[in-house]
Amino acid sequence: MTITSSQTKTPQVHHVDGPMLPHLNHYSESQNDTVPRATTSLVPILTPPISSGGGSGDDDVENSKQYVLVPNSQRIVVRSAHHGKRVCVLNPGADGDNVTIRAVVLAWLPTRRENEDNNDEEDDEEVEKDDDSESDEEDTGEWVILAACNNGIVHEWSITDLSTATMESNKESLSSRRSFQLTCTTMQDLDLIHLTSPAALTEEAAILYGLVKGTSTDNESNDEKSAASSCLVRFEIPQFAPRQNENGESENKVSLDLAVKPLVSVKKNVSSKVYQEESSENNHVCLRRKDSIFGLMAAYRPSSLKADDNDLDYEMDDNDNDSGAKGDVFVVMCASHGLIIYRDSLPLNNDDDTPSDPSTKMVHFAKSIMKSSQYHYTKEQQAFSSMAISPNTKDLALGRANGHIEVFDNIFENVSIYLNGTTKLEEHHPEEVTVRRTVHWHAHPVRALAFLTAAYGRSKGSGNNNSSSFANPMSLLSGGEESVLVTWQLDRNFHKPSNFIARVSQGSIVHTLTCQYSGKIIVLCSDNSIQCYNGSNYEREWAEQGLASMALHGEEDNEQGPNGGPIVMVKDPITNYPMLTNLPGAPGMVHWYDPKSASVVGTLEVAPYNRVSRRDPTSDPHIPAPAVTHMAVGQNGKDMVTVDTVWTENTSVGSAYNLAGPQGGGITTPMNVCTSIKFWSYVGDSSSKGSGKVERRRRNGDVPMNYELVSSMAAPHGREGEICALAVSPDGSVACTLSQEEDAFRVWVKNTTATTDTGGALWKCLYKVKTPSGYANLLSQRVDTSLGQQLINFSSDGTVLSVSYGPHVTLWDHSNATLLTSVTLGDEKETLSASEDIQTVNFLTKNDDVMLVTTASQIGLKSPFGGVNSSCYLGEDEWSFDTGSFGKEALVSAVVPLYDFKGKGGATGGGFFAVSITLDNGSKSTISIISRDEGSVVCAEGTDTPIQWQVDGEVQSLCLDKCNDSFVQLLAVTNDCQMLSLSYGSDGRTKNKGRGAVGSSSARRGQAPVLKTGAENAEVKPSAKRRKVSIGISQGSENARSVSGFEFPALSGKFTSAFIAQSLGKR
């Protein structure tokens, strides 16, 4: 993605939204492994309540601020934990660096604040002896956000800066205040892939542990494979001290070198024969073949807790600790088929660079503890899928792919006893003495685990600042593909769940976060939604839905049936919000999306979706979710038509498909797909029934829209017929659908004599038209429904209907089913096989009569009156170009007319349009504003700079968001599910105008212009042939060419249809 400057005359690209979390990876690199797992390298983080000074605000939770950090590979989105709205975006590449975020962690960075009243060392000793007196030095600090990137740099943000950050149109990103370049004496080209920080205090720095990949510096051979190595490292982040430059000004960003200390190396691809032997020696971290560490977590266990495990009332890490932290730090490394625990004792000895013996600090769990139960499971089913450490650093919970959850009691104490022992007897090994409790409710992999304590009640008026939180009952939360949040009581009735929250979302639960201070439960799901629940009564406090562009089950590459195709994006004339459907993460739904807040503000359920779990996650296929494949609205937004497809096991309805399993092998399940067309009418708030219930749902996080289903018909084109195109007339009274299987199109009209209880008009099918002779087989053989083609459309006055058959565009008078004429974009001398099929047709008819026609590699303007091949056509405003100037792989992916955009000379009214061209096999896209008059890229006013945007990926959907005078803002959705905002100019007209309220009954109804048969200028000369132009090179203003055409009077729709039929119909 290209980020340009902030000048209003420069095209700008801004990221709006995308997948909230990275896609789930597999348990191992095995090709037969299809069970995804959650990773702990890029996971959301729930901060503790933060006071105004940056420290923990657990004393006054209600007046403190709390945030949810949601990272992905490019940025960290910061949301408020109080309402879920975006606060800001943290971007390590804000300075122009193209970096990838590997891991994100929240760390406590201590600072020292000296008391000027007590400077005498003798007084210090007396104060230390008096427990009731205040210390001369107070350990304070701040919470910082650390992001490790693929270039070996760790970026730092202070959490106190989040309170002052703003999100204005999602364009502001907060740059890091410090960056640290990691260095190592034994490795180079460091890549920090995992990062964790224990909640431990040192006097001067924050402790971090990470898993680093790099190249060994002592490798004598030139073998790159043998030179690559991985190891567990430790490093410390120093205190923050503002720096000043030579002029005495504060530096905005500080860059420092930071040395890491290797602790233990990682050895991969260890065979099963030698795994038991090498893992028992504990000289290095051993990983089985095709296995890797997916989780890295560190926990601090104070010395006071080690002294008496039964006494859980110990001081928290953010309280006073004059002598520094003392105790152990346990680093848990969890692989798909392995568990390793490394112990590091505090205080740390950083002066000694001599590596310690790993066998005295590390324990492998490789025997009976790796077996999930007495039942037989495959290797993939026994794999670990998630893990969590209890807040008291006592227990460890592990989730498995077979749905089992295992809690290891006192595992860290057993590890300490074993490592402290003088003899390492096998019978004393932690996996032999640790008590393991196993529970089972989930039928699929457990992807989310989190501990929750009941200590947060003390912060709401109890006034008890002593952290006795862990003496209270502790619960374990789990979630997975079932989308059910399950609660387990660890102190009683552990064998069965104590509470369920069913149907949390349409997607599976991916991550669960808890806060012991505020009692909040944050649940993040695969449909890009985030929800907050109260930990005491499990009521939902708020919910935020992002762009649901992520597949629910991670099977977007194996999409079968008619559910494919790009995301459909249309602007709502009532609310001015873009409407999106055919979203992978919102099956059967239409979403009203606000680009400014990057959240969904309205929903409409078109096709109900009931989640059905698979019997076997490794062999049974997911039943494909319903999809809204087409959607169209009238100019006033009152009428909407949708087409949806629903999979069913009833083989007597719909078209038949064989649904293949996830692993193939020839195993298929017969299923049918039923297609339905539905007509909706906007009823508004005042006329909708149950408005109080709707308002309560909105307060609870749901945002239903006020549309009423007035008509519905299953299989509108017959049992086997599916719909490949849909269009609605501007006034919303006529609709048209096209079916490839039926080889016909149908026209639907409102039945004004029949209405619903709320006054909505019913719809009926007026007639069906089979493919005319001469166009036979062009529709049934050459339509690709996955391209999002717009094969039918209405003129601006709604009287002329265009239907595309292969390379031909046919024009119809839909009032009496009369074929008026047909046009082609290519040369008529070309053979039918050489001509490209029409993809989209748009009428640019606010001040002229042409149609904008596109194929895969061509764009052209055609006149519906016959063009240069007709003797009665007097204009020369037809032109066409192909995308060959961009390269061999350049293809047209989307076209959007810009009716209100004002170009040079003040030309408006359909004189401009935006076109997206995909380059380099879909790796890049160029979006340009094209002048209808010149057939070239429009330049910025007063410059030779073309109005173009360069973005990464293939633009699959393009929608006009705002357009007035010289300002335009487009929304683009790429193939990697990213939504981008493309803007040019200054939005002066709408600066103080917001979008319409969701659910508002007021509508801005525009008068549709009539179809005109000429352009504005008079003095014309007939053209001999169509112009060939190219948008690869922009033409300047001196090459601008005015439109030539004969000006006919403005004609009504009926007169225009009659004129076309009589003059050209029998030509």
Side-chain angles (χ1 to χ4, degrees):
M1 186 180 68
T2 304
I3 303 297
T4 60
S5 62
S6 59
Q7 297 178 1
T8 58
K9 293 185 179 181
T10 303
Q12 302 180 45
V13 179
H14 299 286
H15 182 269
V16 177
D17 201 359
M20 189 178 299
L21 296 168
H23 285 265
L24 299 181
N25 299 321
H26 295 288
Y27 285 111
S28 66
E29 299 174 1
S30 173
Q31 295 180 355
N32 295 327
D33 182 16
T34 60
V35 185
R37 63 164 172 81
T39 63
T40 57
S41 57
L42 279 178
V43 298
I45 299 173
L46 178 62
T47 70
I50 306 299
S51 63
S52 59
S56 296
D58 51 285
D59 295 340
D60 189 6
V61 177
E62 296 181 354
N63 296 325
S64 302
K65 295 183 178 181
Q66 197 170 11
Y67 304 97
V68 180
L69 312 178
V70 185
N72 55 41
S73 60
Q74 301 297 326
R75 59 192 58 83
I76 305 171
V77 178
V78 181
R79 294 180 177 271
S80 172
H82 302 289
H83 47 69
K85 302 298 182 182
R86 273 195 182 188
V87 177
C88 65
V89 173
L90 309 181
N91 186 5
D95 298 332
D97 300 332
N98 186 15
V99 298
T100 300
I101 301 177
R102 297 292 196 190
V104 176
V105 70
L106 185 69
W108 175 260
L109 184 63
T111 59
R112 183 168 299 273
R113 185 177 300 171
E114 297 184 358
N115 190 335
E116 297 179 357
D117 296 336
N118 298 319
N119 292 327
D120 192 3
E121 296 181 356
E122 296 180 357
D123 295 339
D124 293 345
E125 297 178 356
E126 296 178 358
V127 172
E128 290 177 359
K129 296 179 182 179
D130 188 2
D131 294 336
D132 298 330
S133 62
E134 295 183 357
S135 174
D136 64 316
E137 295 181 350
E138 181 184 1
D139 284 331
T140 60
E142 60 176 341
W143 290 100
V144 293
I145 305 169
L146 300 171
C149 300
N150 60 337
N151 54 3
I153 296 180
V154 177
H155 295 267
E156 178 195 75
W157 294 267
S158 173
I159 207 167
T160 56
D161 297 336
L162 303 182
S163 59
T164 59
T166 60
M167 280 297 299
E168 184 67 27
S169 301
N170 296 325
K171 298 179 182 179
E172 298 294 335
S173 59
L174 192 61
S175 301
S176 57
R177 71 176 184 182
R178 288 194 299 180
S179 62
F180 306 94
Q181 178 66 60
L182 301 184
T183 61
C184 183
T185 57
T186 60
M187 300 175 63
Q188 59 185 2
D189 301 328
L190 301 183
D191 186 0
L192 191 59
I193 57 177
H194 286 280
L195 189 63
T196 183
S197 176
L201 274 180
T202 61
E203 296 181 356
E204 298 180 352
I207 307 173
L208 284 92
Y209 295 84
L211 191 63
V212 175
K213 295 172 59 178
T215 305
S216 177
T217 57
D218 57 358
N219 182 55
E220 298 179 357
S221 63
N222 296 326
D223 187 4
E224 296 182 358
K225 184 176 181 179
S226 61
S229 61
S230 302
C231 67
L232 178 69
V233 300
R234 183 187 68 220
F235 58 96
E236 298 182 4
I237 300 295
Q239 297 180 11
F240 175 72
R243 293 189 176 185
Q244 295 181 347
N245 54 22
E246 298 178 354
N247 299 327
E249 300 175 352
S250 299
E251 295 184 1
N252 295 330
K253 187 173 182 178
V254 179
S255 299
L256 302 172
D257 290 337
L258 198 64
V260 301
K261 181 178 181 179
L263 300 178
V264 59
S265 61
V266 178
K267 186 177 181 180
K268 297 183 178 181
N269 296 322
V270 179
S271 63
S272 301
K273 295 181 179 180
V274 299
Y275 179 80
Q276 293 291 342
E277 180 181 355
E278 293 193 7
S279 61
S280 61
E281 295 176 356
N282 292 320
N283 292 324
H284 47 256
V285 176
C286 294
L287 299 178
R288 302 174 188 265
R289 287 181 177 178
K290 298 181 179 180
D291 202 359
S292 60
I293 295 176
F294 72 84
L296 184 72
M297 299 182 69
Y300 169 56
R301 185 178 176 88
S303 299
S304 58
L305 183 61
K306 293 192 299 178
D308 186 3
D309 264 338
N310 296 323
D311 184 13
L312 300 182
D313 185 8
Y314 62 89
E315 291 185 347
M316 292 294 296
D317 302 327
D318 52 354
N319 290 341
D320 294 339
N321 190 354
D322 298 332
S323 59
K326 293 182 179 179
D328 294 333
V329 174
F330 294 92
V331 182
V332 181
M333 293 168 278
C334 189
S336 302
H337 302 91
L339 178 65
I340 307 97
I341 297 181
Y342 182 90
R343 187 188 67 171
D344 212 3
S345 298
L346 299 181
L348 302 174
N349 185 8
N350 295 322
D351 297 331
D352 186 9
D353 295 334
T354 304
S356 58
D357 184 7
S359 62
T360 63
K361 293 191 173 185
M362 184 172 60
V363 175
H364 280 75
F365 293 80
K367 297 183 180 179
S368 59
I369 202 171
M370 301 304 300
K371 298 179 181 180
S372 59
S373 68
Q374 67 272 22
Y375 299 104
H376 175 71
Y377 289 99
T378 63
K379 181 179 179 182
E380 285 77 14
Q381 292 173 335
Q382 293 189 37
F384 291 130
S385 57
S386 57
M387 70 173 178
I389 300 176
S390 63
N392 57 4
T393 319
K394 177 183 177 183
D395 304 330
L396 175 65
L398 295 176
R400 293 186 184 266
N402 55 17
H404 289 202
I405 301 175
E406 300 174 0
V407 178
F408 306 107
D409 294 337
N410 293 318
I411 186 173
F412 298 104
E413 177 64 18
N414 295 334
V415 170
S416 296
I417 294 174
Y418 178 74
L419 294 177
N420 292 336
T422 56
T423 59
K424 304 292 189 301
L425 298 179
E426 185 176 355
E427 57 269 19
H428 295 163
H429 196 280
E431 68 178 341
E432 300 293 340
V433 300
T434 300
V435 177
R436 178 177 50 163
R437 294 183 288 172
T438 302
V439 294
H440 185 200
W441 181 89
H442 297 276
H444 303 293
V446 181
R447 296 180 179 173
L449 285 175
F451 285 91
L452 177 67
T453 61
Y456 46 87
R458 64 180 175 83
S459 62
K460 299 181 180 180
S462 62
N464 182 14
N465 295 330
N466 295 326
S467 298
S468 59
S469 58
F470 304 136
N472 294 314
M474 188 179 302
S475 303
L476 179 65
L477 305 177
S478 63
E481 185 180 313
E482 303 85 1
S483 191
V484 178
L485 186 64
V486 184
T487 304
W488 308 84
Q489 290 288 347
L490 299 184
D491 56 339
R492 56 184 179 180
N493 297 329
F494 184 69
H495 62 283
K496 61 181 180 180
S498 61
N499 187 74
F500 297 95
I501 302 179
R503 302 182 184 274
V504 174
S505 71
Q506 290 186 330
S508 59
I509 296 177
V510 180
H511 293 289
T512 302
L513 312 174
T514 59
C515 179
Q516 61 177 342
Y517 303 107
S518 60
K520 294 181 181 294
I521 302 175
I522 306 295
V523 181
L524 293 96
C525 303
S526 61
D527 62 347
N528 230 28
S529 66
I530 178 172
Q531 304 178 41
C532 178
Y533 292 88
N534 190 307
S536 59
N537 54 19
Y538 296 100
E539 291 185 357
R540 190 170 69 175
E541 297 182 352
W542 52 262
E544 280 293 311
Q545 174 69 63
L547 182 66
S549 55
M550 205 171 161
L552 297 182
H553 306 297
E555 295 185 349
E556 65 276 9
D557 295 334
N558 300 324
E559 192 67 52
Q560 305 177 57
N563 291 17
I567 296 174
V568 180
M569 186 164 48
V570 180
K571 186 176 181 180
D572 182 15
I574 297 179
T575 62
N576 288 328
Y577 288 114
M579 306 164 58
L580 298 100
T581 190
N582 203 23
L583 294 162
M589 302 290 292
V590 177
H591 281 180
W592 278 255
Y593 186 83
D594 182 10
K596 185 176 181 179
S597 63
S599 61
V600 173
V601 295
T603 60
L604 177 66
E605 185 181 52
V606 176
Y609 175 48
N610 184 24
R611 292 181 53 87
V612 178
S613 296
R614 300 166 293 163
R615 296 183 298 274
D616 187 348
T618 59
S619 60
D620 290 345
H622 285 288
I623 297 180
V628 183
T629 57
H630 298 84
M631 176 180 62
V633 295
Q635 282 188 348
N636 59 4
K638 295 288 186 179
D639 300 284
M640 179 173 64
V641 184
T642 60
V643 176
D644 61 85
T645 58
V646 178
W647 290 75
T648 175
E649 295 178 337
N650 185 0
T651 57
S652 62
V653 296
S655 55
Y657 284 89
N658 288 323
L659 191 63
Q663 294 184 359
I667 302 176
T668 59
T669 302
M671 295 192 70
N672 281 28
V673 177
C674 184
T675 302
S676 301
I677 184 172
K678 297 178 181 178
F679 301 89
W680 306 81
S681 177
Y682 182 77
V683 295
D685 286 338
S686 58
S687 59
S688 61
K689 295 184 178 181
S691 58
K693 181 179 179 180
V694 171
E695 185 62 28
R696 287 192 298 270
R697 291 180 61 188
R698 286 180 177 169
R699 286 197 301 265
N700 198 30
D702 296 329
V703 280
M705 295 298 291
N706 299 308
Y707 277 86
E708 178 190 19
L709 179 63
V710 294
S711 298
S712 176
M713 181 179 181
H717 285 266
R719 173 180 172 179
E720 299 291 336
E722 299 173 0
I723 295 178
C724 61
L726 169 70
V728 174
S729 62
D731 60 356
S733 62
V734 184
C736 181
T737 56
L738 182 65
S739 175
Q740 179 180 0
E741 290 74 19
E742 192 183 30
D743 201 18
F745 69 86
R746 292 175 181 259
V747 173
W748 309 77
V749 295
K750 280 185 179 181
N751 186 4
T752 56
T753 60
T755 59
T756 62
D757 295 339
T758 57
L762 302 179
W763 289 70
K764 65 178 181 179
C765 180
L766 186 62
Y767 57 80
K768 179 186 73 173
V769 176
K770 295 289 289 185
T771 301
S773 60
Y775 308 106
N777 300 326
L778 293 179
L779 180 64
S780 59
Q781 295 179 359
R782 304 175 65 171
V783 174
D784 187 357
T785 57
S786 64
L787 297 177
Q789 299 169 323
Q790 186 179 345
L791 301 180
I792 55 179
N793 207 345
F794 287 89
S795 61
S796 293
D797 66 345
T799 59
V800 177
L801 172 66
S802 68
V803 182
S804 300
Y805 296 98
H808 302 276
V809 180
T810 60
L811 299 177
W812 300 76
D813 181 359
H814 61 80
S815 63
N816 52 16
T818 302
L819 176 62
L820 304 177
T821 186
S822 66
V823 296
T824 59
L825 181 59
D827 193 345
E828 292 186 353
K829 297 181 180 180
E830 295 180 354
T831 61
L832 186 62
S833 59
S835 302
E836 291 186 331
D837 292 346
I838 301 298
Q839 286 191 350
T840 62
V841 177
N842 289 279
F843 286 86
L844 305 180
T845 55
K846 280 202 171 183
N847 63 355
D848 52 36
D849 57 0
V850 297
M851 298 181 298
L852 179 64
V853 183
T854 66
T855 66
S857 61
Q858 287 184 318
I859 301 178
L861 258 66
K862 294 291 297 185
S863 170
F865 302 102
V868 297
N869 297 314
S870 174
S871 59
C872 64
Y873 181 71
L874 305 180
E876 61 171 3
D877 51 356
E878 283 192 350
W879 54 261
S880 67
F881 68 84
D882 55 52
T883 59
S885 59
F886 288 90
K888 294 182 179 180
E889 303 297 333
L891 299 175
V892 179
S893 59
V895 175
V896 174
L898 308 177
Y899 293 120
D900 297 325
F901 184 71
K902 182 184 294 184
K904 297 178 181 179
T908 57
F912 302 91
F913 59 92
V915 58
S916 174
I917 297 179
T918 302
L919 310 173
D920 300 336
N921 293 322
S923 61
K924 296 181 180 179
S925 294
T926 298
I927 301 94
S928 310
I929 294 183
I930 309 299
S931 170
R932 172 256 179 274
D933 301 339
E934 305 172 18
S936 61
V937 180
V938 179
C939 293
E941 184 177 357
T943 67
D944 293 332
T945 303
I947 305 180
Q948 289 182 326
W949 299 270
Q950 306 288 335
V951 300
D952 295 333
E954 177 185 356
V955 175
Q956 293 187 339
S957 300
L958 195 63
C959 174
L960 178 63
D961 186 26
K962 297 179 182 179
C963 184
N964 59 78
D965 294 340
S966 59
F967 172 78
V968 62
Q969 181 171 325
L970 302 168
L971 294 177
V973 177
T974 62
N975 59 341
D976 57 349
C977 305
Q978 302 290 337
M979 176 178 281
L980 307 175
S981 174
L982 317 175
S983 61
Y984 166 78
S986 177
D987 188 14
R989 178 183 299 183
T990 60
K991 184 174 182 180
N992 297 323
K993 294 175 60 178
R995 299 180 187 266
V998 175
S1000 175
S1001 60
S1002 61
R1004 179 174 55 86
R1005 188 184 184 96
Q1007 181 66 33
V1010 298
L1011 182 66
K1012 297 183 179 180
T1013 58
E1016 298 284 333
N1017 290 335
E1019 306 173 15
V1020 303
K1021 294 181 181 180
S1023 174
K1025 63 179 181 179
R1026 184 171 60 251
R1027 290 185 288 145
K1028 294 286 186 177
V1029 299
S1030 172
I1031 66 171
I1033 303 177
S1034 174
Q1035 300 179 5
S1037 58
E1038 65 274 10
N1039 295 328
R1041 187 174 182 180
S1042 61
V1043 178
S1044 298
F1046 184 80
E1047 182 180 3
F1048 283 92
L1051 306 178
S1052 65
K1054 292 183 178 180
F1055 184 90
T1056 303
S1057 302
F1059 174 79
I1060 297 176
Q1062 294 178 5
S1063 302
L1064 308 173
K1066 299 179 180 180
R1067 177 173 53 85

